[in-house]
Amino acid sequence: MGRFFEYAEVFMFSITLICMGKLKEKFYTEAAAEYAKRLKAYCAFQLIELPECRLPEDPSAAQIAQGLQKEAELIRAKLPKGCFFCVLTPEGKLLWSEQLADTLRQAKSGGCSSACFLIGSSFGIAPEIKRLADLQLSMSKMTFPHHLARVMLIEQLYRGFKINEGSRYHK
């Protein structure tokens, strides 16, 4: 029986969340940690924080593009091979929680052993990284701080697994 659980853990679906920048506020850190802990019951969850490119106070379009290019190199180096890849972007597709749950289920049943989600920097995400994405997702037509978006995304991933198992959590 022990061998079965070892085997199951090796092939557990994994989710990587790549975030540009670090959480600083304790309340965001605690909320993200709580949902990450819950999420680990359903998948191998990894959070990767990459440094946001420092730009001048009022950067030019060229400086922003150069910064996003540097961030793109860091992001590409951390993308799991063969993963389902989703970027969070304001112009992305709006999904209900049930649709996100279905997207996770389809990625898992479609042969992907992992999914990767990306929350970019305050200046966005390089166009070439967006083109790599299987899904461009928007959380809302409203604007949220990136730190809050991180908490919201981890909670929605957890909610997606709960929906897929038929739990009452979503009710």
Side-chain angles (χ1 to χ4, degrees), residues 4 42-43 46 48 56 58 60 62 79 83 105-107 115 142 146:
F4 171 76
Y42 297 93
C43 65
Q46 178 184 21
I48 299 173
D58 189 21
S60 68
L79 283 177
C83 69
R105 185 189 52 72
Q106 287 178 18
M142 293 184 272
H146 285 216

Side-chain angles (χ1 to χ4, degrees), residues 58-79:
D58 189 21
S60 68
Q63 289 170 317
I64 292 170
Q66 186 178 29
L68 292 178
Q69 185 59 43
K70 287 178 184 176
E71 291 176 0
E73 292 168 17
L74 296 172
I75 292 164
R76 250 194 314 277
K78 297 296 183 180
L79 283 177

Side-chain angles (χ1 to χ4, degrees), residues 29-49:
T29 305
E30 289 174 352
E34 176 60 30
Y35 286 115
K37 181 178 81 175
R38 293 180 188 189
L39 188 56
K40 287 182 180 184
Y42 297 93
C43 65
F45 179 71
Q46 178 184 21
L47 173 67
I48 299 173
E49 292 179 322

Side-chain angles (χ1 to χ4, degrees), residues 13 15 84-86 93-110 112 114-117 134-137 157 160-161 163-164:
F13 191 70
I15 292 182
F84 171 85
F85 181 44
C86 175
K93 187 174 183 178
L94 292 167
L95 297 180
W96 294 14
S97 296
E98 295 88 350
Q99 292 172 308
L100 180 60
D102 192 51
T103 299
L104 287 171
R105 185 189 52 72
Q106 287 178 18
K108 194 174 175 182
S109 66
C112 286
S114 66
C116 181
F117 292 80
D134 297 297
L135 173 65
Q136 291 187 34
L137 178 65
L157 292 170
F161 281 101
I163 289 169
N164 285 338

